[in-house]
Amino acid sequence: MEITKETVLKVAGLAKLNLAEEEAQRLAHEMGKIVGFAGKLAEMDLEGVQPTTHAVKLENVFRADEMQPSYPREEILANGPERDEACFVVPKVVE
Amino acid sequence: MSDYKAVIGLEVHAELDTASKIYCGCTTAFGGEENTHVCPICLGLPGALPLLNRKVVEFCIKAGLALNCKINNYSRQDRKHYFYPDLPKSFQTSQLDLPICYDGYLDIEVNGQTKRIGITRIHIEEDAGKLIHGLTGTRVDYNRGATGLIEIVSEPDLTNPDEVYAYMETLRQVLLYTGVSNCKMEEGSLRCDVNVSIHREGEPFGVRTEMKNLNSLSAAKAAAAYEIKRQKQVLAEGGDLFQATLRWDDAKGINYVMRVKEHADEYYYFPEPDIMPIVITPEEVEAIRATLPELPKARQQRYKSQYGLSDYDANILTVSKALSDLFDQAVACEAPAKVCANFIMGDITRLLNEKALQPEEVPFGGKELAELANLISQGAISSSAGSKVVELLFQPEFAGKAPKAIVEEQNLGQVSDQGAIKAMCQQVIDANPKVVEDYRGGKKQAISALVGQVMKASKGKANPAMANQLLEELLNG
Ligand SMILES: [Zn+2]
């Protein structure tokens, strides 16, 4: 299956990735091979087979509605690139 | 000819009243110091593994059943990808093609007419954090992030702003009765997106715009009215409408464009690998159905048929579940329904407003209300004395006291002693010759002024019906 450079650039744009020309070219080729591999499934007769979304066959994995302590704020904020005394700080978002 | 018709659909987000968030044990309490209700799971830090809160699923089913939905036996969560700093994971865990509930409806009433509004679907998802915009940067508080939400999507069955208001009001009532959300709009627990397009009868639907996050019933109504008018005007002037997300400015009463949509949104949904499929058996659905309370509509019917209340009274009484419960408890104690209803719609509602209390905070129960209502219907106290007792019951020093005890203690008992009232009536007649002259001259309504004087002289304790009758006898005799 062929993946064009335009498709790669569009997907990269949605994922906020900046790709150089040659990277896009190379990825188009590699992604084409990956998608082509998955395309083998199309050769099978899958009439009436439910799509698989999880590799393990588990259902209804729940927790009870119980409160647990949150993390100390200092520890939480330490993970952000920028912060003030109480919040994460990000570049100004224009609404 | 500008015979355009509006087509309106609503997407309502209700924060669920669970103790903990949707995938972690952090509290859902409103407010709190910024970023203190946060952990690696609700921040989506690498390696953190979410576990779905069972109650979020149960509440969604409960809301769905109250809104006449079908429940999907097999349901799933999906990732919806977009970049915005209120979403730390860069995707929202939501549901795409297998929502928990689908194909329901809600009956609303507008101008005495019932209209059925279709509910397309109800799904679960996580709430976003809060952005605080500053001059140089934007601060992010994730306390609200990953609180469990349900999104209730209506069919585009609404055609005017009054229906928008009625739909929101009725939906809020149903959610409050079922207890799945506290629906505090001022805290953002209930918000709606309004989708509007206009078209001519028989023609295809027009271009649709969306206004996001309206957080009051009146804002939703005003925003819909404004947008319908705006679209009609654009077309009347020969302009083109384009698909856009609009922001409603409630203070100014206008909207403006946030973002024009050139393409359909591309969220690259895919099944959430960290959350396993949700399988709901018919037995589980029936078990949840059995926990549904009597809903407002059914209650209104019962109030009308069982107690002979008017449409108006039945509607007002059921606005709040707490007040409606109070009424039910009082009439269960053999109290006269209409007197109880009047207390709730009158003095009690007034005092709640004056003291800025919630309906849940009435400081006495159905037993006290029943006792008070019976004192009135038996003629032991006047209705003004009854109001006085309610006022006292709202004061802390009278908390838990029986109305009968208060009446005795405060000497509020009605005087039905004919001799005493007659003497007062005579005094009032003697003191008000002008009014008496009016009455005898044919202005029969002048007697109410005299009854008022008797009530005043007796400090509200005279039986007004008896005063009226005795005055008539004295004046005509
Ligand atoms: Zn958390």
Side-chain angles (χ1 to χ4, degrees):
Chain A
M1 173 152 185
E2 205 201 341
I3 299 285
T4 63
K5 196 181 75 185
E6 286 64 44
T7 304
V8 172
L9 289 174
K10 187 180 167 207
V11 174
L14 285 169
K16 304 269 188 250
L17 295 173
N18 274 320
L19 297 182
E21 179 71 22
E22 66 220 48
E23 283 176 305
Q25 203 72 58
R26 178 167 54 78
L27 281 167
H29 177 66
E30 289 176 2
M31 284 166 70
K33 279 169 82 174
I34 295 167
V35 174
F37 174 71
K40 271 208 170 304
L41 289 174
E43 294 166 15
M44 300 175 70
D45 178 16
L46 298 173
E47 189 69 31
V49 177
Q50 283 272 344
T52 303
T53 54
H54 293 79
V56 274
K57 198 167 165 25
L58 281 175
E59 289 160 350
N60 294 345
V61 182
F62 296 132
R63 46 175 277 273
D65 182 29
E66 280 161 14
M67 240 168 65
Q68 300 283 336
S70 294
Y71 264 47
R73 181 159 70 189
E74 271 312 304
E75 234 173 284
I76 287 294
L77 292 178
N79 292 293
E82 208 184 313
R83 51 165 292 190
D84 61 15
E85 69 290 349
C87 285
F88 295 98
V89 177
V90 297
K92 193 178 172 189
V93 177
V94 186
E95 289 233 300
Chain B
M1 283 288 285
S2 168
D3 48 356
Y4 284 105
K5 290 197 156 38
V7 177
I8 310 168
L10 298 187
E11 289 162 29
V12 176
H13 290 90
E15 267 186 6
L16 297 174
D17 219 356
T18 53
S20 63
K21 293 187 179 182
I22 184 168
Y23 305 116
C24 65
C26 289
T27 177
T28 59
F30 178 73
E33 291 273 303
E34 291 153 329
N35 291 304
T36 54
H37 302 166
V38 180
C39 75
I41 295 173
C42 52
L43 275 189
L45 296 186
L49 201 57
L51 261 180
L52 181 54
N53 186 339
R54 180 193 300 272
K55 198 145 201 185
V56 167
V57 177
E58 286 171 3
F59 274 178
C60 184
I61 297 171
K62 197 167 184 181
L65 293 175
L67 295 168
N68 312 292
C69 286
K70 298 177 179 126
I71 309 298
N72 254 322
N73 154 256
Y74 182 92
S75 175
R76 190 180 65 210
Q77 290 222 262
D78 300 277
R79 292 186 177 183
K80 176 184 182 181
H81 294 85
Y82 63 92
F83 292 95
Y84 205 62
D86 62 4
L87 204 61
K89 302 185 290 188
S90 297
F91 62 83
Q92 181 189 31
T93 309
S94 180
Q95 298 195 282
L96 177 61
D97 52 347
L98 292 170
I100 293 181
C101 317
Y102 64 101
D103 202 6
Y105 64 86
L106 176 64
D107 287 339
I108 63 170
E109 219 159 285
V110 181
N111 302 326
Q113 299 285 316
T114 301
K115 182 168 175 181
R116 181 157 293 183
I117 308 300
I119 307 269
T120 315
R121 55 183 280 161
I122 308 175
H123 67 254
I124 56 170
E125 62 185 25
E126 58 182 330
D127 207 350
K130 189 171 129 197
L131 300 180
I132 306 142
H133 301 288
L135 280 176
T136 53
T138 295
R139 305 169 68 236
V140 194
D141 172 13
Y142 288 117
N143 278 355
R144 199 185 65 183
T147 294
L149 285 183
I150 48 175
E151 179 175 331
I152 303 157
V153 182
S154 84
E155 289 289 306
D157 289 344
L158 301 154
T159 55
N160 64 55
D162 287 331
E163 290 180 5
V164 170
Y165 191 94
Y167 174 83
M168 285 299 292
E169 192 180 37
T170 313
L171 180 61
R172 181 169 180 274
Q173 217 179 21
V174 168
L175 295 176
L176 279 173
Y177 269 65
T178 52
V180 303
S181 172
N182 67 29
C183 295
K184 286 186 184 162
M185 299 194 83
E186 67 282 5
E187 293 181 4
S189 299
L190 190 73
R191 338 186 267 273
C192 84
D193 302 345
V194 180
N195 298 311
V196 177
S197 69
I198 58 172
H199 71 141
R200 287 202 176 94
E201 191 91 54
E203 291 181 4
F205 283 177
V207 172
R208 196 178 81 169
T209 62
E210 178 177 25
M211 277 174 290
K212 287 203 170 279
N213 282 332
L214 296 158
N215 58 5
S216 76
L217 303 184
S218 54
K221 179 180 166 178
Y226 180 90
E227 181 57 11
I228 294 167
K229 204 172 145 208
R230 187 191 72 85
Q231 291 190 8
K232 283 183 180 171
Q233 197 170 338
V234 168
L235 294 185
E237 289 165 1
D240 282 325
L241 292 167
F242 41 82
Q243 232 194 330
T245 303
L246 308 171
R247 175 171 293 279
W248 172 248
D249 185 330
D250 203 37
K252 293 194 185 124
I254 56 167
N255 67 29
Y256 52 90
V257 177
M258 268 170 81
R259 161 169 94 89
V260 175
K261 289 185 183 175
E262 287 168 19
H263 315 283
D265 287 318
E266 294 188 82
Y267 293 119
Y268 275 58
Y269 279 98
F270 65 69
E272 167 62 67
D274 287 344
I275 305 289
M276 295 301 133
I278 303 160
V279 176
I280 303 159
T281 65
E283 292 73 34
E284 286 168 314
V285 171
E286 289 319 305
I288 292 173
R289 195 191 301 278
T291 68
L292 278 181
E294 183 184 36
L295 293 170
K297 196 113 202 149
R299 255 192 199 183
Q300 288 160 14
Q301 290 303 335
R302 182 163 62 80
Y303 287 178
K304 286 187 271 184
S305 63
Q306 195 171 338
Y307 304 121
L309 296 184
S310 66
D311 271 336
Y312 178 84
D313 287 358
N315 286 347
I316 299 279
L317 268 185
T318 48
V319 166
S320 148
K321 178 165 190 292
L323 294 183
S324 175
D325 287 345
L326 180 66
F327 173 80
D328 275 336
Q329 287 155 13
V331 291
C333 300
E334 313 269 306
K338 180 62 182 155
V339 181
C340 293
N342 285 346
F343 269 121
I344 290 173
M345 298 185 295
D347 292 308
I348 293 175
T349 299
R350 175 177 57 82
L351 286 159
L352 288 174
N353 287 338
E354 278 174 20
K355 294 173 191 289
L357 295 172
Q358 295 299 315
E360 294 74 25
E361 297 175 290
V362 174
F364 53 88
K367 191 167 151 266
E368 285 74 24
L369 178 56
E371 191 176 307
L372 182 58
N374 278 323
L375 287 172
I376 293 212
S377 64
Q378 292 154 7
I381 60 172
S382 67
S383 61
S384 63
S387 297
K388 177 82 185 156
V389 173
V390 176
E391 216 149 290
L392 292 173
L393 281 167
F394 267 80
Q395 290 174 15
E397 59 267 40
F398 290 91
K401 275 222 159 129
K404 246 181 208 161
I406 295 178
V407 166
E408 274 167 33
E409 203 182 286
Q410 301 290 311
N411 194 23
L412 292 168
Q414 182 158 266
V415 177
S416 295
D417 168 354
Q418 202 165 10
I421 296 181
K422 197 166 188 174
M424 275 188 272
C425 289
Q426 192 56 60
Q427 279 169 19
V428 167
I429 287 172
D430 294 344
N432 295 279
K434 176 81 181 65
V435 186
V436 170
E437 201 178 302
D438 285 349
Y439 176 82
R440 290 194 169 130
K443 275 179 73 181
K444 295 292 176 198
Q445 70 270 32
I447 200 164
S448 59
L450 297 175
V451 174
Q453 289 294 321
V454 174
M455 295 308 293
K456 198 172 160 195
S458 69
K459 299 193 175 64
K461 287 161 61 182
N463 180 333
M466 187 180 276
N468 196 81
Q469 194 197 335
L470 289 169
L471 280 166
E472 270 178 6
E473 282 174 23
L474 288 167
L475 290 167
N476 298 327

